[in-house]
PDB file of all heavy atoms in Angstrom:
ATOM      1  N   LYS A  14       0.881  -1.188   0.020  1.00 98.00           N
ATOM      2  CA  LYS A  14       0.058  -0.011   0.032  1.00 98.00           C
ATOM      3  C   LYS A  14       0.818   1.228  -0.038  1.00 98.00           C
ATOM      4  O   LYS A  14       0.614   2.218  -0.729  1.00 98.00           O
ATOM      5  CB  LYS A  14      -0.855  -0.019   1.165  1.00 98.00           C
ATOM      6  CG  LYS A  14      -1.856  -1.223   1.287  1.00 98.00           C
ATOM      7  CD  LYS A  14      -2.808  -1.240   0.045  1.00 98.00           C
ATOM      8  CE  LYS A  14      -3.740  -0.160   0.004  1.00 98.00           C
ATOM      9  NZ  LYS A  14      -4.729  -0.239  -1.124  1.00 98.00           N
ATOM     10  N   TYR A  15       2.055   1.251   0.724  1.00 98.00           N
ATOM     11  CA  TYR A  15       2.871   2.445   0.777  1.00 98.00           C
ATOM     12  C   TYR A  15       3.356   2.739  -0.660  1.00 98.00           C
ATOM     13  O   TYR A  15       3.386   3.863  -1.209  1.00 98.00           O
ATOM     14  CB  TYR A  15       4.052   2.177   1.729  1.00 98.00           C
ATOM     15  CG  TYR A  15       3.865   2.544   3.114  1.00 98.00           C
ATOM     16  CD1 TYR A  15       3.897   1.515   4.124  1.00 98.00           C
ATOM     17  CD2 TYR A  15       3.551   3.827   3.435  1.00 98.00           C
ATOM     18  CE1 TYR A  15       3.722   1.831   5.428  1.00 98.00           C
ATOM     19  CE2 TYR A  15       3.463   4.176   4.818  1.00 98.00           C
ATOM     20  CZ  TYR A  15       3.506   3.228   5.897  1.00 98.00           C
ATOM     21  OH  TYR A  15       3.320   3.558   7.145  1.00 98.00           O
ATOM     22  N   VAL A  16       3.744   1.584  -1.363  1.00 98.00           N
ATOM     23  CA  VAL A  16       4.397   1.765  -2.771  1.00 98.00           C
ATOM     24  C   VAL A  16       3.214   2.356  -3.649  1.00 98.00           C
ATOM     25  O   VAL A  16       3.545   3.284  -4.475  1.00 98.00           O
ATOM     26  CB  VAL A  16       4.884   0.482  -3.257  1.00 98.00           C
ATOM     27  CG1 VAL A  16       5.255   0.544  -4.762  1.00 98.00           C
ATOM     28  CG2 VAL A  16       6.099   0.034  -2.434  1.00 98.00           C
ATOM     29  N   GLU A  17       2.026   1.819  -3.457  1.00 97.00           N
ATOM     30  CA  GLU A  17       0.914   2.382  -4.326  1.00 97.00           C
ATOM     31  C   GLU A  17       0.666   3.798  -3.991  1.00 97.00           C
ATOM     32  O   GLU A  17       0.607   4.629  -4.953  1.00 97.00           O
ATOM     33  CB  GLU A  17      -0.338   1.523  -4.053  1.00 97.00           C
ATOM     34  CG  GLU A  17      -1.637   2.005  -4.711  1.00 97.00           C
ATOM     35  CD  GLU A  17      -2.896   1.355  -4.316  1.00 97.00           C
ATOM     36  OE1 GLU A  17      -2.701   0.296  -3.621  1.00 97.00           O
ATOM     37  OE2 GLU A  17      -3.926   1.851  -4.579  1.00 97.00           O
ATOM     38  N   TYR A  18       0.571   4.213  -2.730  1.00 98.00           N
ATOM     39  CA  TYR A  18       0.357   5.614  -2.372  1.00 98.00           C
ATOM     40  C   TYR A  18       1.474   6.560  -2.782  1.00 98.00           C
ATOM     41  O   TYR A  18       1.231   7.765  -3.048  1.00 98.00           O
ATOM     42  CB  TYR A  18       0.168   5.647  -0.880  1.00 98.00           C
ATOM     43  CG  TYR A  18      -1.272   5.286  -0.400  1.00 98.00           C
ATOM     44  CD1 TYR A  18      -2.037   4.281  -0.974  1.00 98.00           C
ATOM     45  CD2 TYR A  18      -1.859   6.050   0.666  1.00 98.00           C
ATOM     46  CE1 TYR A  18      -3.360   3.978  -0.537  1.00 98.00           C
ATOM     47  CE2 TYR A  18      -3.150   5.774   1.089  1.00 98.00           C
ATOM     48  CZ  TYR A  18      -3.814   4.712   0.517  1.00 98.00           C
ATOM     49  OH  TYR A  18      -5.205   4.449   0.997  1.00 98.00           O
ATOM     50  N   MET A  19       2.718   6.077  -2.848  1.00 97.00           N
ATOM     51  CA  MET A  19       3.811   6.866  -3.033  1.00 97.00           C
ATOM     52  C   MET A  19       4.204   6.945  -4.458  1.00 97.00           C
ATOM     53  O   MET A  19       5.181   7.521  -4.950  1.00 97.00           O
ATOM     54  CB  MET A  19       5.113   6.317  -2.341  1.00 97.00           C
ATOM     55  CG  MET A  19       4.911   6.463  -0.832  1.00 97.00           C
ATOM     56  SD  MET A  19       5.889   5.257   0.262  1.00 97.00           S
ATOM     57  CE  MET A  19       7.533   5.947  -0.092  1.00 97.00           C
ATOM     58  N   GLY A  20       3.360   6.378  -5.448  1.00 97.00           N
ATOM     59  CA  GLY A  20       3.504   6.590  -6.825  1.00 97.00           C
ATOM     60  C   GLY A  20       4.162   5.509  -7.595  1.00 97.00           C
ATOM     61  O   GLY A  20       4.534   5.639  -8.746  1.00 97.00           O
ATOM     62  N   GLY A  21       4.479   4.368  -6.847  1.00 97.00           N
ATOM     63  CA  GLY A  21       5.099   3.220  -7.593  1.00 97.00           C
ATOM     64  C   GLY A  21       6.630   3.233  -7.425  1.00 97.00           C
ATOM     65  O   GLY A  21       7.210   4.189  -6.874  1.00 97.00           O
ATOM     66  N   ALA A  22       7.182   2.115  -7.889  1.00 97.00           N
ATOM     67  CA  ALA A  22       8.605   1.831  -7.627  1.00 97.00           C
ATOM     68  C   ALA A  22       9.486   2.909  -8.189  1.00 97.00           C
ATOM     69  O   ALA A  22      10.449   3.420  -7.528  1.00 97.00           O
ATOM     70  CB  ALA A  22       8.989   0.489  -8.203  1.00 97.00           C
ATOM     71  N   ASP A  23       9.236   3.357  -9.481  1.00 96.00           N
ATOM     72  CA  ASP A  23      10.114   4.290 -10.074  1.00 96.00           C
ATOM     73  C   ASP A  23      10.082   5.672  -9.398  1.00 96.00           C
ATOM     74  O   ASP A  23      11.111   6.299  -9.219  1.00 96.00           O
ATOM     75  CB  ASP A  23       9.688   4.488 -11.559  1.00 96.00           C
ATOM     76  CG  ASP A  23      10.026   3.340 -12.420  1.00 96.00           C
ATOM     77  OD1 ASP A  23      10.960   2.519 -11.950  1.00 96.00           O
ATOM     78  OD2 ASP A  23       9.597   3.208 -13.669  1.00 96.00           O
ATOM     79  N   ALA A  24       8.934   6.089  -8.923  1.00 97.00           N
ATOM     80  CA  ALA A  24       8.797   7.376  -8.274  1.00 97.00           C
ATOM     81  C   ALA A  24       9.568   7.239  -6.922  1.00 97.00           C
ATOM     82  O   ALA A  24      10.330   8.241  -6.560  1.00 97.00           O
ATOM     83  CB  ALA A  24       7.337   7.654  -7.952  1.00 97.00           C
ATOM     84  N   ILE A  25       9.521   6.149  -6.233  1.00 97.00           N
ATOM     85  CA  ILE A  25      10.143   6.062  -4.957  1.00 97.00           C
ATOM     86  C   ILE A  25      11.745   6.019  -5.168  1.00 97.00           C
ATOM     87  O   ILE A  25      12.421   6.729  -4.493  1.00 97.00           O
ATOM     88  CB  ILE A  25       9.790   4.676  -4.305  1.00 97.00           C
ATOM     89  CG1 ILE A  25       8.357   4.862  -3.846  1.00 97.00           C
ATOM     90  CG2 ILE A  25      10.622   4.430  -3.040  1.00 97.00           C
ATOM     91  CD1 ILE A  25       7.709   3.540  -3.359  1.00 97.00           C
ATOM     92  N   LEU A  26      12.250   5.228  -6.138  1.00 97.00           N
ATOM     93  CA  LEU A  26      13.606   5.067  -6.365  1.00 97.00           C
ATOM     94  C   LEU A  26      14.143   6.445  -6.827  1.00 97.00           C
ATOM     95  O   LEU A  26      15.381   6.872  -6.459  1.00 97.00           O
ATOM     96  CB  LEU A  26      13.832   4.034  -7.401  1.00 97.00           C
ATOM     97  CG  LEU A  26      13.659   2.568  -6.935  1.00 97.00           C
ATOM     98  CD1 LEU A  26      13.734   1.603  -7.981  1.00 97.00           C
ATOM     99  CD2 LEU A  26      14.666   2.293  -5.797  1.00 97.00           C
ATOM    100  N   SER A  27      13.464   7.256  -7.658  1.00 97.00           N
ATOM    101  CA  SER A  27      13.931   8.528  -8.105  1.00 97.00           C
ATOM    102  C   SER A  27      14.194   9.509  -6.973  1.00 97.00           C
ATOM    103  O   SER A  27      15.237  10.120  -6.886  1.00 97.00           O
ATOM    104  CB  SER A  27      12.955   9.103  -9.246  1.00 97.00           C
ATOM    105  OG  SER A  27      13.360  10.297  -9.639  1.00 97.00           O
ATOM    106  N   LYS A  28      13.169   9.564  -6.161  1.00 97.00           N
ATOM    107  CA  LYS A  28      13.229  10.533  -5.076  1.00 97.00           C
ATOM    108  C   LYS A  28      14.269  10.013  -3.975  1.00 97.00           C
ATOM    109  O   LYS A  28      15.084  10.878  -3.436  1.00 97.00           O
ATOM    110  CB  LYS A  28      11.856  10.699  -4.435  1.00 97.00           C
ATOM    111  CG  LYS A  28      10.879  11.408  -5.352  1.00 97.00           C
ATOM    112  CD  LYS A  28       9.529  11.457  -4.685  1.00 97.00           C
ATOM    113  CE  LYS A  28       8.480  12.001  -5.607  1.00 97.00           C
ATOM    114  NZ  LYS A  28       7.086  12.072  -5.182  1.00 97.00           N
ATOM    115  N   ALA A  29      14.272   8.696  -3.737  1.00 98.00           N
ATOM    116  CA  ALA A  29      15.117   8.126  -2.792  1.00 98.00           C
ATOM    117  C   ALA A  29      16.625   8.265  -3.141  1.00 98.00           C
ATOM    118  O   ALA A  29      17.537   8.603  -2.400  1.00 98.00           O
ATOM    119  CB  ALA A  29      14.813   6.758  -2.503  1.00 98.00           C
ATOM    120  N   GLN A  30      16.855   8.118  -4.499  1.00 97.00           N
ATOM    121  CA  GLN A  30      18.253   8.293  -4.941  1.00 97.00           C
ATOM    122  C   GLN A  30      18.697   9.798  -4.794  1.00 97.00           C
ATOM    123  O   GLN A  30      19.817  10.049  -4.400  1.00 97.00           O
ATOM    124  CB  GLN A  30      18.374   7.961  -6.417  1.00 97.00           C
ATOM    125  CG  GLN A  30      19.841   8.123  -7.047  1.00 97.00           C
ATOM    126  CD  GLN A  30      20.874   7.159  -6.363  1.00 97.00           C
ATOM    127  OE1 GLN A  30      20.560   6.204  -5.892  1.00 97.00           O
ATOM    128  NE2 GLN A  30      22.089   7.781  -6.261  1.00 97.00           N
ATOM    129  N   ASP A  31      17.751  10.726  -5.095  1.00 97.00           N
ATOM    130  CA  ASP A  31      18.076  12.123  -4.829  1.00 97.00           C
ATOM    131  C   ASP A  31      18.481  12.359  -3.330  1.00 97.00           C
ATOM    132  O   ASP A  31      19.368  13.142  -2.982  1.00 97.00           O
ATOM    133  CB  ASP A  31      16.956  12.961  -5.181  1.00 97.00           C
ATOM    134  CG  ASP A  31      16.810  13.168  -6.830  1.00 97.00           C
ATOM    135  OD1 ASP A  31      17.702  12.719  -7.460  1.00 97.00           O
ATOM    136  OD2 ASP A  31      15.651  13.574  -7.207  1.00 97.00           O
ATOM    137  N   ASP A  32      17.630  11.760  -2.402  1.00 98.00           N
ATOM    138  CA  ASP A  32      17.788  11.945  -1.021  1.00 98.00           C
ATOM    139  C   ASP A  32      19.136  11.297  -0.557  1.00 98.00           C
ATOM    140  O   ASP A  32      19.798  11.725   0.320  1.00 98.00           O
ATOM    141  CB  ASP A  32      16.554  11.447  -0.250  1.00 98.00           C
ATOM    142  CG  ASP A  32      15.473  12.397  -0.303  1.00 98.00           C
ATOM    143  OD1 ASP A  32      15.617  13.598  -0.610  1.00 98.00           O
ATOM    144  OD2 ASP A  32      14.282  11.986  -0.009  1.00 98.00           O
ATOM    145  N   PHE A  33      19.418  10.096  -1.069  1.00 98.00           N
ATOM    146  CA  PHE A  33      20.638   9.470  -0.879  1.00 98.00           C
ATOM    147  C   PHE A  33      21.868  10.389  -1.162  1.00 98.00           C
ATOM    148  O   PHE A  33      22.775  10.581  -0.385  1.00 98.00           O
ATOM    149  CB  PHE A  33      20.858   8.167  -1.643  1.00 98.00           C
ATOM    150  CG  PHE A  33      22.169   7.500  -1.437  1.00 98.00           C
ATOM    151  CD1 PHE A  33      22.271   6.628  -0.445  1.00 98.00           C
ATOM    152  CD2 PHE A  33      23.297   7.676  -2.261  1.00 98.00           C
ATOM    153  CE1 PHE A  33      23.524   5.882  -0.137  1.00 98.00           C
ATOM    154  CE2 PHE A  33      24.439   7.052  -2.109  1.00 98.00           C
ATOM    155  CZ  PHE A  33      24.531   6.188  -1.020  1.00 98.00           C
ATOM    156  N   GLU A  34      21.841  11.065  -2.238  1.00 98.00           N
ATOM    157  CA  GLU A  34      22.878  12.009  -2.693  1.00 98.00           C
ATOM    158  C   GLU A  34      22.948  13.233  -1.758  1.00 98.00           C
ATOM    159  O   GLU A  34      24.049  13.855  -1.584  1.00 98.00           O
ATOM    160  CB  GLU A  34      22.698  12.459  -4.160  1.00 98.00           C
ATOM    161  CG  GLU A  34      22.940  11.277  -5.046  1.00 98.00           C
ATOM    162  CD  GLU A  34      22.546  11.548  -6.546  1.00 98.00           C
ATOM    163  OE1 GLU A  34      22.087  12.704  -6.782  1.00 98.00           O
ATOM    164  OE2 GLU A  34      22.610  10.615  -7.378  1.00 98.00           O
ATOM    165  N   LYS A  35      21.884  13.547  -1.098  1.00 98.00           N
ATOM    166  CA  LYS A  35      21.872  14.636  -0.018  1.00 98.00           C
ATOM    167  C   LYS A  35      22.310  14.174   1.285  1.00 98.00           C
ATOM    168  O   LYS A  35      22.449  14.952   2.230  1.00 98.00           O
ATOM    169  CB  LYS A  35      20.437  15.178   0.120  1.00 98.00           C
ATOM    170  CG  LYS A  35      19.895  15.889  -1.172  1.00 98.00           C
ATOM    171  CD  LYS A  35      18.505  16.177  -1.004  1.00 98.00           C
ATOM    172  CE  LYS A  35      17.780  16.692  -2.328  1.00 98.00           C
ATOM    173  NZ  LYS A  35      16.296  16.920  -2.045  1.00 98.00           N
ATOM    174  N   GLY A  36      22.562  12.821   1.451  1.00 98.00           N
ATOM    175  CA  GLY A  36      23.020  12.302   2.742  1.00 98.00           C
ATOM    176  C   GLY A  36      21.882  11.994   3.758  1.00 98.00           C
ATOM    177  O   GLY A  36      22.137  11.709   4.840  1.00 98.00           O
ATOM    178  N   GLU A  37      20.677  11.820   3.222  1.00 98.00           N
ATOM    179  CA  GLU A  37      19.583  11.581   4.137  1.00 98.00           C
ATOM    180  C   GLU A  37      19.325  10.108   4.164  1.00 98.00           C
ATOM    181  O   GLU A  37      18.267   9.545   3.854  1.00 98.00           O
ATOM    182  CB  GLU A  37      18.197  12.270   3.547  1.00 98.00           C
ATOM    183  CG  GLU A  37      18.381  13.801   3.601  1.00 98.00           C
ATOM    184  CD  GLU A  37      17.239  14.605   3.089  1.00 98.00           C
ATOM    185  OE1 GLU A  37      16.180  13.838   2.816  1.00 98.00           O
ATOM    186  OE2 GLU A  37      17.243  15.787   2.852  1.00 98.00           O
ATOM    187  N   TYR A  38      20.319   9.408   4.686  1.00 98.00           N
ATOM    188  CA  TYR A  38      20.352   7.864   4.697  1.00 98.00           C
ATOM    189  C   TYR A  38      19.225   7.224   5.464  1.00 98.00           C
ATOM    190  O   TYR A  38      18.682   6.207   5.229  1.00 98.00           O
ATOM    191  CB  TYR A  38      21.715   7.421   5.020  1.00 98.00           C
ATOM    192  CG  TYR A  38      22.825   8.092   4.321  1.00 98.00           C
ATOM    193  CD1 TYR A  38      23.925   8.620   5.022  1.00 98.00           C
ATOM    194  CD2 TYR A  38      22.883   8.018   2.890  1.00 98.00           C
ATOM    195  CE1 TYR A  38      24.864   9.275   4.281  1.00 98.00           C
ATOM    196  CE2 TYR A  38      23.846   8.652   2.244  1.00 98.00           C
ATOM    197  CZ  TYR A  38      24.923   9.211   2.925  1.00 98.00           C
ATOM    198  OH  TYR A  38      25.935   9.835   2.259  1.00 98.00           O
ATOM    199  N   ARG A  39      18.949   7.851   6.638  1.00 98.00           N
ATOM    200  CA  ARG A  39      17.878   7.286   7.496  1.00 98.00           C
ATOM    201  C   ARG A  39      16.520   7.304   6.807  1.00 98.00           C
ATOM    202  O   ARG A  39      15.839   6.201   6.879  1.00 98.00           O
ATOM    203  CB  ARG A  39      17.737   8.126   8.801  1.00 98.00           C
ATOM    204  CG  ARG A  39      18.923   7.934   9.819  1.00 98.00           C
ATOM    205  CD  ARG A  39      18.669   8.842  10.964  1.00 98.00           C
ATOM    206  NE  ARG A  39      17.643   8.508  11.792  1.00 98.00           N
ATOM    207  CZ  ARG A  39      17.139   9.270  12.763  1.00 98.00           C
ATOM    208  NH1 ARG A  39      17.791  10.487  13.090  1.00 98.00           N
ATOM    209  NH2 ARG A  39      16.107   9.000  13.495  1.00 98.00           N
ATOM    210  N   TRP A  40      16.265   8.344   6.102  1.00 98.00           N
ATOM    211  CA  TRP A  40      14.988   8.416   5.423  1.00 98.00           C
ATOM    212  C   TRP A  40      14.959   7.446   4.173  1.00 98.00           C
ATOM    213  O   TRP A  40      13.977   6.779   3.981  1.00 98.00           O
ATOM    214  CB  TRP A  40      14.688   9.832   5.070  1.00 98.00           C
ATOM    215  CG  TRP A  40      13.557   9.878   4.031  1.00 98.00           C
ATOM    216  CD1 TRP A  40      13.607  10.344   2.810  1.00 98.00           C
ATOM    217  CD2 TRP A  40      12.173   9.381   4.210  1.00 98.00           C
ATOM    218  NE1 TRP A  40      12.347  10.158   2.152  1.00 98.00           N
ATOM    219  CE2 TRP A  40      11.480   9.551   3.068  1.00 98.00           C
ATOM    220  CE3 TRP A  40      11.479   8.822   5.353  1.00 98.00           C
ATOM    221  CZ2 TRP A  40      10.146   9.155   2.858  1.00 98.00           C
ATOM    222  CZ3 TRP A  40      10.195   8.502   5.230  1.00 98.00           C
ATOM    223  CH2 TRP A  40       9.559   8.695   4.056  1.00 98.00           C
ATOM    224  N   VAL A  41      16.029   7.436   3.453  1.00 98.00           N
ATOM    225  CA  VAL A  41      16.126   6.511   2.450  1.00 98.00           C
ATOM    226  C   VAL A  41      15.894   5.063   2.825  1.00 98.00           C
ATOM    227  O   VAL A  41      15.140   4.289   2.201  1.00 98.00           O
ATOM    228  CB  VAL A  41      17.511   6.695   1.691  1.00 98.00           C
ATOM    229  CG1 VAL A  41      17.643   5.582   0.603  1.00 98.00           C
ATOM    230  CG2 VAL A  41      17.539   8.060   0.978  1.00 98.00           C
ATOM    231  N   ALA A  42      16.433   4.678   3.976  1.00 98.00           N
ATOM    232  CA  ALA A  42      16.286   3.341   4.502  1.00 98.00           C
ATOM    233  C   ALA A  42      14.880   3.109   4.781  1.00 98.00           C
ATOM    234  O   ALA A  42      14.348   2.032   4.552  1.00 98.00           O
ATOM    235  CB  ALA A  42      17.221   3.131   5.663  1.00 98.00           C
TER     236      ALA A  42
END
């Protein structure tokens, strides 16, 4: 359900990769 609400796998990975590059590792995890 989280994946569905968050726009699907590609949307999650795109935003999470951006956050990884910002050093927001806790949130990415």
Side-chain angles (χ1 to χ4, degrees):
K14 301 300 292 183
Y15 275 117
V16 171
E17 177 189 344
Y18 276 38
M19 293 156 71
D23 286 343
I25 295 170
L26 288 172
S27 178
K28 294 174 182 177
Q30 179 62 34
D31 288 344
D32 285 338
F33 177 85
E34 291 169 3
K35 296 173 187 174
E37 297 178 6
Y38 308 126
R39 287 175 67 190
W40 167 243
V41 173

